[in-house]
Amino acid sequence: MVWGFFCKFALMKSLPTLSILSKIATKLADLRVSLGFLLVVVVLAYTCVWAYRQFMSSPPYVDPERYPVRGIDVSAHNGMMNLDAAAADGIEFIFIKASEGTTFRDENFRINYDKASKAGLKIGAYHYFRFDCDGVAQGLNLVKAVGRRHLDLGVAIDVEESGNAAGVDSVTIVRRLLAMADYLYLSGYRVTFYSNRAGYYEYLRESVPGASLWICSFQPTPIEAEWTFWQFNHHGRVAGIRGDVDIDVFCGSRSDWQNYLDGAQWPYDSPPRRKHPSVRTRGRN
């Protein structure tokens, strides 16, 4: 009887300790479950990123005989570049970011322009179009950023939802876009519109029919429409440039390319004897 009482007493004394140990074990189990869940989320996120890079943004094969003229588009994000080396690597044209919205200017535009000019590349300037900004003010910002620099390819307006303001309706976006384009036409520039496939169908197909298009697409056929430039690779490697760079091609042959440089609205047309103001290549400011 004494021994039983002692055992009962000892058990009662140990209950608080057992309770604490039980709570610790429960928390450890919960922690293992949480860590396991977090690991699954990390693996899933990594898999999604890998799949996007491998399949959704993997460049298609682009026949160099069909599209012999290749180029790149760059901004300050590409850092300092050796464009002489890029030209030696087969790059023939370049679109350089000049501005964004109504006030932003790309800090490397001037030095990138000077390097591209020295390397003998054919040059265009592009502007990231902000959905929430006045179109004419954006056109003025681009014109001021370009100044009197010669642009063989004119200017391009980058129209895309990625990184842009949300909540602006399509009607307002298109109205501002057309206002900017009209300002640039009146300022004497050839204007090209850049977008991906979704942006083309949402903002460009109905609003700028027949305009020069620069399409971003990772499909073998860029778009079911005529295009002038095709951005087909976000992860290109070019001599003189560290890391990834966007790779583009021109839509036609070398004779088409020369026609385009001579001012043809479409590369396969004959170049005009006297350029219309909408296809001039030099700014007036």
Side-chain angles (χ1 to χ4, degrees):
M1 176 180 281
V2 175
W3 176 253
F5 176 80
F6 176 77
C7 290
K8 186 176 180 180
F9 178 79
L11 179 62
M12 292 178 65
K13 285 287 187 179
S14 65
L15 283 178
T17 303
L18 292 174
S19 177
I20 293 172
L21 291 175
S22 176
K23 289 181 179 179
I24 292 174
T26 301
K27 289 185 179 294
L28 288 174
D30 291 342
L31 181 61
R32 284 196 298 269
V33 171
S34 299
L35 289 175
F37 177 76
L38 181 61
L39 179 62
V40 170
V41 170
V42 170
V43 171
L44 182 61
Y46 175 81
T47 302
C48 290
V49 171
W50 178 85
Y52 175 81
R53 289 177 66 93
Q54 289 295 118
F55 301 109
M56 299 300 291
S57 63
S58 292
Y61 173 72
V62 178
D63 187 353
E65 293 188 3
R66 184 176 181 183
Y67 305 115
V69 182
R70 300 207 169 196
I72 56 177
D73 56 274
V74 303
S75 69
H77 293 296
N78 295 99
M80 292 295 105
M81 298 174 286
N82 182 345
L83 294 181
D84 289 311
D89 199 23
I91 297 302
E92 299 187 45
F93 68 88
I94 185 171
F95 278 99
I96 307 171
K97 183 174 182 179
S99 55
E100 177 177 331
T102 58
T103 58
F104 179 83
R105 310 277 176 81
D106 190 281
E107 62 184 1
N108 283 4
F109 174 68
R110 292 184 179 184
I111 190 169
N112 285 340
Y113 178 92
D114 291 343
K115 288 182 177 181
S117 181
K118 177 177 175 293
L121 301 178
K122 300 303 181 183
I123 304 172
Y126 79 89
H127 171 96
Y128 182 84
F129 179 79
R130 299 293 311 184
F131 292 171
D132 55 347
C133 295
D134 177 76
V136 173
Q138 294 194 69
L140 179 62
N141 187 31
L142 174 57
V143 168
K144 287 184 175 180
V146 171
R148 294 184 176 274
R149 296 174 180 83
H150 177 74
L151 296 176
D152 309 276
L153 310 180
V155 296
I157 307 175
D158 179 350
V159 186
E160 56 182 309
E161 292 184 352
S162 176
N164 224 313
V168 185
D169 63 273
S170 296
V171 173
T172 300
I173 292 170
V174 169
R175 174 171 53 79
R176 290 171 175 167
L177 174 63
L178 294 179
M180 179 179 182
D182 286 343
Y183 180 85
L184 294 172
Y185 285 134
L186 292 172
S187 297
Y189 288 95
R190 180 205 298 262
V191 178
T192 295
F193 296 89
Y194 168 93
S195 194
N196 52 31
R197 293 171 65 93
Y200 166 76
Y201 289 112
E202 180 70 21
Y203 306 114
L204 302 179
R205 181 174 62 172
E206 300 296 331
S207 60
V208 290
S212 177
L213 296 176
W214 174 16
I215 294 295
C216 171
S217 174
F218 306 112
Q219 299 186 22
T221 299
I223 200 167
E224 298 301 326
E226 294 184 0
W227 51 272
T228 306
F229 298 98
W230 176 15
Q231 183 189 82
F232 68 93
N233 189 354
H234 282 336
H235 309 294
R237 294 289 176 162
V238 172
I241 301 177
R242 294 182 180 179
D244 295 342
V245 64
D246 295 334
I247 306 293
D248 309 272
V249 291
F250 175 72
C251 67
S253 65
R254 292 202 169 276
S255 61
D256 295 331
W257 176 239
Q258 190 58 54
N259 283 348
Y260 189 75
L261 294 176
D262 288 341
Q265 179 66 23
W266 286 98
Y268 42 76
D269 294 334
S270 298
R273 293 182 179 179
R274 184 175 182 180
K275 295 178 182 178
H276 186 275
S278 66
V279 296
R280 289 178 190 165
T281 57
R282 185 184 297 273
R284 64 181 183 181
N285 294 322

